[in-house]
Amino acid sequence: MNLSMRQMRAFLHVARIGNFTRAAEQAHMTQAGLSTLVREMERQLGARLFDRTTRMVGLTTAGRRLLPVVERVLGELDEVTGRLGAEGDAARQTLRIAATPLVSSNLLPQVFGGFHERHPRIKLKLFDADLRDVEAMVVEGEADMGLGFFFKAAAGLERMPVGHFQLMRVAPSDAGEAPPIGSVPWSSLRGAQLLGLPPSNPIQKLIDGHLAAVGAADPDRPAFNFFGTLISMVEAGFGSAVMPTFALAACRRHRVRTDLLAKPKVGLDFYRITRRGVQETEAMQAFCKTLVKALPALSR
């Protein structure tokens, strides 16, 4: 026996209305189709469910025993599918984004503002965390996407470039307002007091390779975990630092000078990571379009 949902719904319509014609109208199907479903159900059960006369249709003893079971099964199914549908709609209208602190505080507020104007019905949730926690949140499904400088994708993740930034020097400045961004060669860092990120940081490893090429390598230089701390320490006069231009917005709120590093120019791709195998939603696609369009203006 393998009763279908269509058969049980057809039975329920007829049982409640007591008329095949009107039940077929309510079920949005032909009377012949409805009658076929009921007959198939009766054949599978080996019992007649309705007494049919020219004037009325009534439940048999078997039909009366079956009715509360069908009502309960269909009622519970409709309740849970309705709840799941509502949860699915809410999930499709919510986008959870994890990003590192400087990205969260300096790049994303403007991006979020522009996105909200174009997509007011989509709710954005932002989680600021360090790079490893960003990856972990995406892997575990706690965030729909992560943003940052991911030099390689972790297991179970896919990455897609959404922006490109150059490395720049950040130095103390006595000017009241931040001067326009300039340009200096890497060789200008030779002999300078430099601050940096921890040596294990992937961005710092890239920076250290170029510093070594101009004789400015120093494994014992002061190191800090966050770019925001580096910028404040530079402003306080403890030295200069090298960082991507995604920090420009933060630098302009401090008394520091920013100069693109040249000879050579060094760029870094900025990535979006998502969990492998997860279907991309319309909200994710729309946000990425907004992000890709906005990032170039935030890095100059």
Side-chain angles (χ1 to χ4, degrees), residues 70 132 138 265 278:
V70 171
R132 291 180 181 177
V138 177
K265 290 184 178 180
V278 173

Side-chain angles (χ1 to χ4, degrees), residues 8-194:
M8 287 190 283
R9 290 194 187 280
F11 165 76
L12 192 57
H13 282 302
V14 177
R16 287 176 173 175
I17 295 174
N19 182 281
F20 273 84
T21 301
R22 291 199 301 273
E25 292 174 355
Q26 188 179 83
H28 304 291
M29 60 190 307
T30 65
Q31 180 178 338
L34 184 75
S35 297
T36 298
L37 289 173
V38 172
R39 283 198 300 271
E40 290 175 350
M41 190 174 181
E42 289 177 325
R43 184 167 59 252
Q44 290 183 42
L45 292 171
R48 195 175 73 254
L49 300 176
F50 295 102
D51 286 324
R52 303 164 176 84
T53 68
T54 55
R55 294 185 177 182
M56 62 174 291
V57 175
L59 286 167
T60 64
T61 300
R64 287 193 294 272
R65 291 178 62 186
L66 182 64
L67 179 60
V69 177
V70 171
E71 287 178 325
R72 184 177 70 253
V73 170
L74 294 180
E76 291 178 356
L77 180 65
D78 289 342
E79 180 183 358
V80 73
T81 54
R83 189 181 304 129
L84 291 174
E87 291 173 357
D89 289 340
R92 285 189 290 273
Q93 294 300 313
T94 301
L95 187 58
R96 303 164 301 166
I97 300 170
T100 51
L102 198 66
V103 173
S104 298
S105 61
N106 290 277
L107 293 186
L108 292 185
Q110 296 182 56
V111 178
F112 274 33
F115 181 81
H116 182 69
E117 290 180 3
R118 297 178 181 85
H119 307 277
R121 297 183 63 183
I122 298 178
K123 182 180 180 181
L124 296 175
K125 287 187 176 181
L126 176 61
F127 306 99
D128 54 344
D130 64 35
L131 208 61
R132 291 180 181 177
D133 286 341
V134 169
E135 287 185 328
M137 292 182 72
V138 177
V139 168
E140 294 167 9
E142 297 174 5
D144 300 304
M145 70 170 68
L147 298 172
F149 294 97
F150 301 98
F151 284 76
K152 61 180 180 179
L157 295 177
E158 294 181 352
R159 63 176 188 156
M160 181 182 79
V162 292
H164 187 79
F165 298 94
Q166 286 183 239
L167 290 179
M168 64 178 179
R169 180 192 70 177
V170 182
S173 174
D174 293 329
E177 295 183 1
I181 189 167
S183 178
V184 295
W186 280 89
S187 58
S188 66
L189 299 175
R190 194 180 296 122
Q193 174 61 50
L194 293 176

